[in-house]
Every structure is written in structure tokens, then in C-alpha cells.
Amino acid sequence: MGFYIMLLRVCFVSFFVTTIVTGQTLPSHGAISASGNRVVRPEPSQRSVSYTGIWNGDFGVDLLYMPSPGENLFEEAIGVGLNATFPLKHSLGLRFGVGHETFSGNKDVEDADVIPFGFSFLMGPPTGTIINMGLELGLLYHLVDYSDDNGDYDDAVGGVAGIILTTSGTSAATVELGAKYRFAISPSENDEDEEISLDGVYISLSLRVAY
């Protein structure tokens, strides 16, 4: 748990540092040439500011935290993930990823280990700001490692929908913050047809590097 907390702090600091670094530096109003003549540069308002598209081709390392899973058996969930984004259009991207999550059990309940993998569509209009907002809608397959007195639970299929804030600019490294909701499509069941839920609202923090 201490490792995840330290990683969360590092990512938050990186988010603000990246936002500052990717900002445009205003040009000076003039300079003296070698011949002694004053060279007048265009005013900032005359220069076009260019930002990259909201979805770049990149690799990401994610940190996930779900404070209150929908299943009463579990107290919280925390995990890490690896993914890659492929821009389809200026305002549309496709992301593939895999991760590992631990759902911490309440008293006298075993922890559940989950390996989710799947894909998401990223949607958002191109903007001219340093921080952009987009939408994520995806499909996940969960490999579930959990059992109780009634047997082992099988794998599950779920979906994810959420909002993403991402930094923009010319920097090769960016930080992404997400608020998302995971919902069940085909829940995990045991031999007695008892279900466990992996649903819930969670936040994600991602350090991303362009390829």
C-alpha cells in the first residue's frame, strides 16, 4: 500500500510540473541584430499557438483507486495498469490495456485478485488549451482469482465509462487524470450461482510517454 501512495504522490506532482512545462513561452518584443538595427518580432497575438491533438500515440502506466466497491465483501480496490493509445482521428483514439487489481476484503473475507484487459474508445473535440477533457467508453474482460466456502468464482465481463483530463502541448511526457465508473455485463459467479460485483466509481492517474 505504501508503494501505491508514493506513486500517487509522484504522479500528482508530475501532473502540475508537466502542465507548467508544456505552456508556451511568450516571445520578446524585439532584439538588436549584429548590424545594430533593431529587429521587431511579431506581438504574441500575431503568432498562432499550436497544440497537439487531444489523443496522442503513447504508452501509459496507470494507478487506480476504487474507494468503495459495489460489492459489500470488499473494502477498497487498488491496482496498476499498462496501456497504449492509437490515435484514429484528431478527436478519436483507441486504447488497449492490461492491469492487476487487488480488492481488499472486509473482516474475515479473503482478498480478490483481478487481471483486467480490454480496449476503450477515447472521444473528445480538439481544443486549444493546455488541459483537455475527453470521454472514455470501453470493454473489459476480468480474470478473477477469488473463492469462498461455495467454490471458485469464474471470470467476468464489464464495461467502463468516464471523463479524462489530459495535458497537451509539445512535451513528450504528459499526465492524465480520470474519473470513471465500471459496470458489470456478465458478473463473476461460483458453482452456487452466487455473484460478486467488481462495479464501482474509481479514479485513475496515468503517466504517459509518446512513441
Side-chain angles (χ1 to χ4, degrees):
M1 183 69 71
F3 170 76
Y4 289 121
I5 294 175
M6 180 183 68
L7 184 59
L8 183 63
R9 290 175 179 172
V10 171
C11 289
F12 269 118
V13 172
S14 301
F15 178 80
F16 291 107
V17 171
T18 306
T19 300
I20 294 173
V21 171
T22 55
Q24 296 285 332
T25 302
L26 295 179
S28 61
H29 290 281
I32 305 299
S33 67
S35 62
N37 296 324
R38 186 177 183 84
V39 178
V40 179
R41 295 180 180 177
E43 294 294 329
S45 60
Q46 295 175 286
R47 298 178 121 191
S48 61
V49 179
S50 176
Y51 293 95
T52 58
I54 189 171
W55 310 119
N56 298 316
D58 58 25
F59 298 105
V61 179
D62 296 351
L63 180 65
L64 176 152
Y65 179 65
M66 183 183 292
S68 181
E71 178 59 63
N72 294 329
L73 295 175
F74 305 120
E75 181 179 359
E76 62 181 6
I78 193 166
V80 295
L82 299 173
N83 54 68
T85 305
F86 302 91
L88 301 180
K89 292 183 178 180
H90 196 58
S91 60
L92 184 65
L94 181 61
R95 179 173 293 175
F96 295 92
V98 62
H100 179 273
E101 301 167 2
T102 298
F103 284 73
S104 300
N106 288 314
K107 186 178 180 180
D108 299 327
V109 176
E110 292 186 5
D111 294 347
D113 290 318
V114 178
I115 298 178
F117 62 90
F119 66 92
S120 296
F121 286 102
L122 310 176
M123 297 161 282
T127 65
T129 60
I130 295 177
I131 299 180
N132 297 322
M133 183 175 71
L135 302 177
E136 178 178 1
L137 183 63
L139 184 66
L140 295 172
Y141 187 89
H142 300 94
L143 298 176
V144 179
D145 182 9
Y146 181 73
S147 62
D148 58 17
D149 295 338
N150 293 323
D152 296 334
Y153 284 78
D154 59 13
D155 299 336
V157 178
V160 60
I163 298 174
I164 296 174
L165 295 178
T166 181
T167 59
S168 183
T170 58
S171 175
T174 60
V175 176
E176 183 180 281
L177 178 65
K180 308 174 186 179
Y181 176 70
R182 178 186 295 169
F183 54 93
I185 296 176
S186 176
S188 178
E189 298 180 344
N190 62 13
D191 295 336
E192 300 296 327
D193 293 331
E194 297 174 332
E195 300 179 355
I196 57 170
S197 172
L198 305 177
D199 300 358
V201 176
Y202 65 94
I203 58 173
S204 63
L205 195 60
S206 176
L207 178 63
R208 315 202 64 80
V209 179
Y211 60 76

